[in-house]
């Protein structure tokens, strides 16, 4: 996430960072998602960002700990944006695949619209994904977590 923040501060795309660092775009994507980076990759990125290598070497990039120049609110915002991006990607996949299947259905057997069953089943999944991302229905969401933590600590809510 630190790499993503540094990249966004400079207004670079993932492709631009990949070109400048000599890494692949996929490597940049993986590192921004919090996967462990090799020392060579970190050295290359540190040189591009003109920072010390130790700044990029975090103990665990997936933790919500506060790092210099990167606060908890930003970490939560990045996490929410990733969830939103995942939902939009899921929705786009749904629309594209269902459209293709509808075309196949109408071309091969127009008298029976079997694609409706696929659209309904997958549509329910997309619906619940959207409800979870937009926090309309989240039985185990932030409020539940807060209540459970307070209960474990023996505090009154």
């Amino acid at each position: 996430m630190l790499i993503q923040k540094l990249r966004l501060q400079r207004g670079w795309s993932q492709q631009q960072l990949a070109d400048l660092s000599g890494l692949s775009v996929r490597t940049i994507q993986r590192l921004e998602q919090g996967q462990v980076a090799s020392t060579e990759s970190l050295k290359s990125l540190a040189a591009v960002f003109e920072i010390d290598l130790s700044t990029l070497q975090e103990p665990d990039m997936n933790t919500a700990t506060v790092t210099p120049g990167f606060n908890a609110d930003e970490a939560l915002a990045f996490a929410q944006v990733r969830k939103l991006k995942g939902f939009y990607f899921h929705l786009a996949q749904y629309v594209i695949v269902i459209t293709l299947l509808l075309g196949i259905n109408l071309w091969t057997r127009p008298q029976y619209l079997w694609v409706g069953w696929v659209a309904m089943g997958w549509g329910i999944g997309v619906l619940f994904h959207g409800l979870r991302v937009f926090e309309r229905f989240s039985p185990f969401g932030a409020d539940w977590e807060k209540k459970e933590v307070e209960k474990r600590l023996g505090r009154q809510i």
Side-chain angles (χ1 to χ4, degrees):
M1 287 189 282
L2 178 60
I3 294 168
Q4 183 178 26
K5 182 181 180 199
L6 292 169
R7 177 180 61 80
L8 293 174
Q9 284 176 343
R10 287 162 177 79
W12 295 340
S13 68
Q14 290 178 335
Q15 180 65 52
Q16 289 171 319
L17 179 56
D19 292 341
L20 291 169
S21 65
L23 301 172
S24 70
V25 175
R26 185 66 188 131
T27 300
I28 300 297
Q29 292 169 345
R30 288 179 181 147
L31 296 177
E32 287 186 356
Q33 290 174 354
Q35 291 186 8
V36 179
S38 69
T39 305
E40 294 80 21
S41 296
L42 290 177
K43 284 180 184 178
S44 178
L45 291 170
V48 169
F49 290 128
E50 298 175 345
I51 59 174
D52 188 52
L53 177 64
S54 62
T55 306
L56 290 176
Q57 291 177 324
E58 297 180 38
D60 184 5
M61 290 188 147
N62 286 328
T63 60
T65 58
V66 179
T67 57
F70 194 73
N71 63 33
D73 291 336
E74 289 175 328
L76 290 173
F78 276 120
Q80 183 61 28
V81 168
R82 278 194 193 101
K83 288 179 187 176
L84 189 60
K85 183 173 90 172
F87 170 71
Y88 287 138
F89 185 71
H90 188 190
L91 183 62
Q93 285 176 325
Y94 173 77
V95 170
I96 291 167
V97 171
I98 294 300
T99 302
L100 290 172
L101 289 176
L102 180 62
I104 292 169
N105 187 180
L106 292 175
W107 185 47
T108 60
R109 193 167 174 199
Q111 62 273 19
Y112 177 65
L113 292 178
W114 52 262
V115 73
W117 294 104
V118 177
M120 184 178 63
W122 193 355
I124 291 170
V126 171
L127 174 69
F128 279 109
H129 189 176
L131 290 173
R132 190 177 71 234
V133 168
F134 293 106
E135 297 177 358
R136 299 289 184 238
F137 175 73
S138 184
F140 298 110
D143 291 335
W144 177 82
E145 288 177 4
K146 183 178 176 183
K147 288 177 187 175
E148 287 299 309
V149 167
E150 296 296 328
K151 186 167 73 172
R152 300 282 186 266
L153 294 174
R155 299 180 190 158
Q156 294 295 325
I157 300 174

